[in-house]
Amino acid sequence: MGHSKDLTKNNMNLNNSSEKTSTLGHKALRLEEDLIFEIDSPGTTGVDFPDFRFKKDKLGGLKKSTKIGLPGLSEPEVIRHFTRLSQKNYAIDSGIYPLGSCTMKHNPRLNEKLARLKGFSNLHPLQPIETVQGALELIDETANWLKKLTGMPAIAMSPAAGAHGELCGMMAIRAALDARDGANSLRRRVLVPESAHGTNPATAAVCGFKVDAIPANRSGRVDVLSFKEKLGDDVAAVMLTNPNTCGLFESEILEISRLIHECGGYFYCDGANFNAIVGRVRPGDLGIDCMHINLHKTFSTPHGGGGPGAGPVVFSEALASFVPRPWVVSGEHGFSIIENDEDKGDLLPIGRMKAFHGQMGMFIRTYAYLLSHGGDGLFQASGDAVLNANYIMAELCDYLSPSYDGPCMHECLFDDRFLEGTGLTTLDFSKAMIDEGYHPMTMYFPLIVHGAMLIEPTETESKKSLDDFITVMRQLAIDAKSGQNNRFIGAPEFTPRRRLDETKAARQPILRWKEQGEDRNKARQK
Amino acid sequence: MDERRYTRDHEWIKIDKDIAIIGITEFAQEQLGDIVFVELPEVGKLLSKGDEAAVLESVKAAAEVYCPIGGEVIEVNDGLNDDPSVVNNDPYGKGWFIKLRVTDPESIDQLMDELDYNSFVESVT
């Protein structure tokens, strides 16, 4: 490749074990790729323009006085440039992704095929209702599946992603409190565990609630005694993630549910980790009043730069009246959509969360996933997700330091105690993983664990893929403990850019190529 | 011994007559990691003890800085807007956050001195 430089030529200290276990996808990381403006060869173009020199222009006498600043490249040059760039992107399609479903799990290609069916992909949300009956049926069917899997009677399909779903759920709780206790309801305190996703307290605050943190107990779960002490007649709700962000099932959830209801509050569940229990536990049976479902996590639709999320919210009987419009309903003349106040009957919808009906493309992918797996397949998928995480936990527990005893759910959590005395941090360890060809896991979250390393392998990894990952992680832990600090402090070594100045990257990012870049080019050649 | 006093939330405070300077400790900056954003209060704002004096965002987490003493904000460290990494590099010097005019300067005597703070840090790590 003319524009590329193999950075490994100067770095021949790769040891054998890393060569053996490296995956293919990352090697492109080692190749330098110039910006498209820097590989410009003026006058080159991928298309033939008609000769305009003798034609009258349509600019009304205006004249172009400066360069338009587009690089000149042929079609293959453009394709190669972007293909090479794409190869620098560590993706679930190129290797195991220990960040797990929070970023992206495997998207079955069947989902993609069905979402591209012309009958779906060419729809417009303002088409006459009789021409979109199939799409409405799909929304209705998907909604029915989600209600069944969660054991909840009502659903809002429209929220656009997890945090949007949280907002929808907490707005419904606020509306229910106001309807029950009057608009001056004193219930304005929301209890949120310390280990919660940051969106939980943010959502509560946006809905006008005051956030009160519940501490975790020594096993990483909600401390029920402290929770009890915090209850009172000013408590509006508890927001709980289950399994929680430490990858642990909240074993006292039935007691928590009983206590919050007894005190007159509602139970919101952050359904981000529903993928660990789908087909096995119905949140409705736990006494949950509403929960968002990240379709893009649990039901494998693309997200994290690959597409929009989707965050339908399921509601208990107590909150069913407040479900936001629009609703898809079936009648004797087929499916219709209720979106106006005149048609709401006795219900008290909180309004609407989004234009139109939600993320239709995600519903199609979700429905394809649901139908292709079936009930038994979903049951197996959540089981495999938990099995894979526990396999990693068991294989690494003697090398890294697990934060809590006992088995985990779909993700396993380690802290930085195993690095004690080495002078190395979780960040150093993670950067060294990049040199081994792996994307690091979630680090420094949840905050209640010091130097957290949270690994979610997801259900689709094979035993071999997990074993390769485990081998590399073990070797890194051994190297860290035996004082080979250079491979950590200096990491990543095999990337075009080394350790970034994160403060500068956040505060003074260079987001646009500028003409002065030519000078930079010259400097580089020297 | 230095004249700074320390809180259990890892803020430091230094008082000269009725003017207090507030920042975070070396331990705090190290725990937070690279700080990328600092939100400071407006000059003239009245803060009570325990109020939010600043909000920090690092590559790892967001954190609040609490006021160890009540008073009126008379100056904020605007330089942190452009270069928050100063908090990491010089937490006890150029990385200060706010200056307060305080009414009860003696109340900081209840806070920890350097020795007490150091043993407190040792006990939590």
Side-chain angles (χ1 to χ4, degrees):
Chain A
M1 280 187 278
H3 305 294
S4 300
K5 183 173 72 177
D6 189 346
L7 299 176
T8 53
K9 276 180 191 147
N10 304 322
N11 294 307
M12 294 303 283
N13 56 350
L14 265 180
N15 65 30
N16 286 336
S17 73
S18 70
E19 274 299 0
K20 255 184 267 164
T21 52
S22 291
T23 48
L24 270 177
H26 82 288
K27 282 188 179 148
L29 265 184
R30 302 180 186 176
L31 306 173
E32 182 68 87
E33 179 70 22
D34 288 338
L35 297 177
I36 195 163
F37 294 99
E38 294 168 347
I39 53 176
D40 167 33
S41 64
T44 313
T45 165
V47 285
D48 277 335
F49 288 111
D51 193 343
F52 51 83
R53 278 173 300 174
F54 307 109
K55 286 192 179 152
K56 209 166 168 258
D57 67 50
K58 295 176 180 170
L59 296 174
L62 294 174
K63 267 204 162 122
K64 187 162 67 66
S65 57
T66 54
K67 288 197 284 185
I68 56 170
L70 290 177
L73 294 120
S74 70
E75 183 172 300
E77 283 169 336
V78 172
I79 291 171
R80 285 172 191 164
H81 171 70
F82 284 107
T83 303
R84 288 194 299 258
L85 277 183
S86 75
Q87 287 168 341
K88 294 187 190 310
N89 193 8
Y90 192 99
I92 183 69
D93 291 344
S94 55
I96 181 175
Y97 210 75
L99 282 169
S101 64
C102 286
T103 302
M104 186 102 85
K105 64 181 191 181
H106 173 63
N107 306 146
R109 293 307 188 261
L110 179 66
N111 301 356
E112 300 305 313
K113 186 177 168 187
L114 295 180
R116 282 166 177 72
L117 287 177
K118 285 202 169 62
F120 287 127
S121 62
N122 290 344
L123 287 183
H124 191 281
L126 293 178
Q127 264 177 243
I129 200 95
E130 59 274 17
T131 66
V132 292
Q133 286 294 306
L136 294 183
E137 184 175 355
L138 184 140
I139 295 177
D140 190 54
E141 281 285 313
T142 307
N144 287 336
W145 267 90
L146 298 177
K147 285 193 282 189
K148 195 166 181 186
L149 287 168
T150 54
M152 307 278 266
I155 189 166
M157 291 295 284
S158 60
H164 199 217
E166 280 179 44
L167 180 67
C168 173
M170 290 309 284
M171 284 171 72
I173 287 177
R174 174 91 196 228
L177 287 167
D178 289 354
R180 191 186 72 188
D181 308 341
N184 296 324
S185 170
L186 294 174
R187 293 187 180 270
R188 290 292 178 259
R189 194 154 54 93
V190 169
L191 306 179
V192 183
E194 287 181 319
S195 63
H197 293 114
T199 46
N200 291 179
T203 301
V206 165
C207 291
F209 294 114
K210 199 173 172 304
V211 177
D212 194 358
I214 324 168
N217 63 19
R218 291 180 68 180
S219 75
R221 296 167 173 91
V222 167
D223 186 61
V224 179
L225 275 182
S226 317
F227 172 68
K228 242 181 191 166
E229 280 165 16
K230 285 181 180 291
L231 290 171
D233 54 13
D234 63 334
V235 169
V238 60
M239 296 181 85
L240 194 68
T241 310
N242 193 28
N244 68 23
T245 59
C246 299
L248 301 167
F249 194 85
E250 289 285 356
S251 42
E252 302 274 3
I253 192 162
L254 289 173
E255 178 67 358
I256 291 167
S257 169
R258 191 184 67 76
L259 288 167
I260 188 73
H261 289 126
E262 202 176 82
C263 135
Y266 289 98
F267 188 176
Y268 185 89
C269 182
D270 178 330
N273 294 338
F274 188 46
N275 53 322
I277 56 172
V278 67
R280 291 166 187 269
V281 177
R282 297 192 309 170
D285 297 340
L286 304 175
I288 285 158
D289 289 305
C290 57
M291 180 183 96
H292 73 265
I293 305 166
N294 301 73
L295 293 187
H296 46 284
K297 273 171 65 80
T298 302
F299 303 106
S300 80
T301 67
H303 64 125
V313 181
V314 285
F315 297 86
S316 67
E317 209 61 70
L319 293 177
S321 307
F322 305 96
V323 175
R325 299 181 303 266
W327 310 313
V328 173
V329 291
S330 66
E332 46 181 296
H333 303 295
F335 291 92
S336 54
I337 306 168
I338 293 183
E339 26 189 359
N340 298 313
D341 259 351
E342 303 86 77
D343 306 321
K344 71 180 168 58
D346 299 334
L347 302 174
L348 302 160
I350 55 170
R352 58 186 308 153
M353 298 299 296
K354 187 180 185 300
F356 303 122
H357 318 302
Q359 309 282 32
M360 188 61 199
M362 298 302 116
F363 299 159
I364 301 162
R365 290 174 174 87
T366 298
Y367 192 53
Y369 186 83
L370 288 166
L371 287 190
S372 58
H373 281 71
D376 56 340
L378 295 173
F379 182 85
Q380 190 190 337
S382 55
D384 287 351
V386 173
L387 179 64
N388 282 354
N390 277 289
Y391 181 63
I392 290 183
M393 172 73 100
E395 293 291 302
L396 291 184
C397 68
D398 293 337
Y399 295 80
L400 279 66
S401 38
S403 303
Y404 300 105
D405 292 337
C408 58
M409 292 297 286
H410 63 304
E411 46 197 355
C412 50
L413 179 61
F414 301 92
D415 54 34
D416 60 3
R417 275 173 302 153
F418 77 101
L419 293 173
E420 215 169 279
T422 61
L424 299 172
T425 63
T426 292
L427 185 73
D428 298 324
F429 191 88
S430 302
K431 297 291 184 191
M433 286 171 70
I434 299 174
D435 283 339
E436 294 299 323
Y438 286 103
H439 195 291
M441 63 267 133
T442 302
M443 3 170 250
Y444 299 114
F445 184 85
L447 300 173
I448 60 168
V449 166
H450 200 272
M453 304 182 183
L454 182 65
I455 302 171
E456 182 188 356
T458 79
E459 63 275 13
T460 53
E461 294 306 320
S462 65
K463 180 166 179 299
K464 177 175 184 312
S465 148
L466 297 176
D467 284 336
D468 288 349
F469 177 72
I470 287 161
T471 306
V472 165
M473 294 292 276
R474 282 180 171 180
Q475 190 59 49
L476 284 174
I478 290 168
D479 291 353
K481 288 177 198 171
S482 61
Q484 297 183 41
N485 284 16
N486 282 344
R487 71 174 303 191
F488 295 93
I489 305 281
E493 206 164 333
F494 308 124
T495 50
R497 300 292 171 272
R498 306 285 293 275
R499 199 80 70 101
L500 299 180
D501 178 340
E502 301 203 40
T503 306
K504 223 171 166 190
R507 299 304 293 170
Q508 293 153 5
I510 300 169
L511 301 173
R512 197 169 64 82
W513 179 83
K514 290 188 182 131
E515 196 72 41
Q516 304 90 285
E518 285 163 19
D519 298 326
R520 195 173 52 173
N521 231 356
K522 277 175 200 152
R524 188 182 284 184
Q525 280 159 8
K526 283 173 195 166
Chain B
M1 198 159 107
D2 80 48
E3 65 230 305
R4 278 188 296 265
R5 294 294 175 132
Y6 303 85
T7 70
R8 295 171 75 88
D9 295 320
H10 309 287
E11 290 100 9
W12 59 259
I13 178 166
K14 196 159 86 176
I15 291 208
D16 182 15
K17 288 180 193 134
D18 63 340
I19 305 298
I21 307 179
I22 291 162
I24 59 167
T25 64
E26 174 70 27
F27 175 76
Q29 73 79 15
E30 198 189 309
Q31 290 295 304
L32 279 166
D34 291 348
I35 290 165
V36 295
F37 180 72
V38 179
E39 189 184 310
L40 297 164
E42 275 173 32
V43 172
K45 193 172 177 185
L46 292 173
L47 296 173
S48 309
K49 185 181 169 185
D51 279 358
E52 199 175 273
V55 180
L56 306 179
E57 216 176 285
S58 79
V59 292
K60 291 187 202 167
E64 290 89 30
V65 177
Y66 297 107
C67 230
I69 189 170
E72 182 193 349
V73 180
I74 55 164
E75 196 182 337
V76 299
N77 188 355
D78 280 326
L80 301 182
N81 290 329
D82 296 329
D83 188 7
S85 65
V86 179
V87 180
N88 293 113
N89 301 330
D90 192 8
Y92 295 125
K94 288 184 187 140
W96 61 278
F97 296 120
I98 57 170
K99 285 186 186 166
L100 288 177
R101 177 169 291 121
V102 299
T103 43
D104 184 15
E106 279 80 41
S107 73
I108 71 158
D109 293 344
Q110 301 156 12
L111 298 173
M112 289 178 276
D113 62 18
E114 193 184 5
L115 278 177
D116 287 345
Y117 177 71
N118 286 343
S119 47
F120 168 68
V121 167
E122 234 161 77
S123 74
V124 293
T125 49

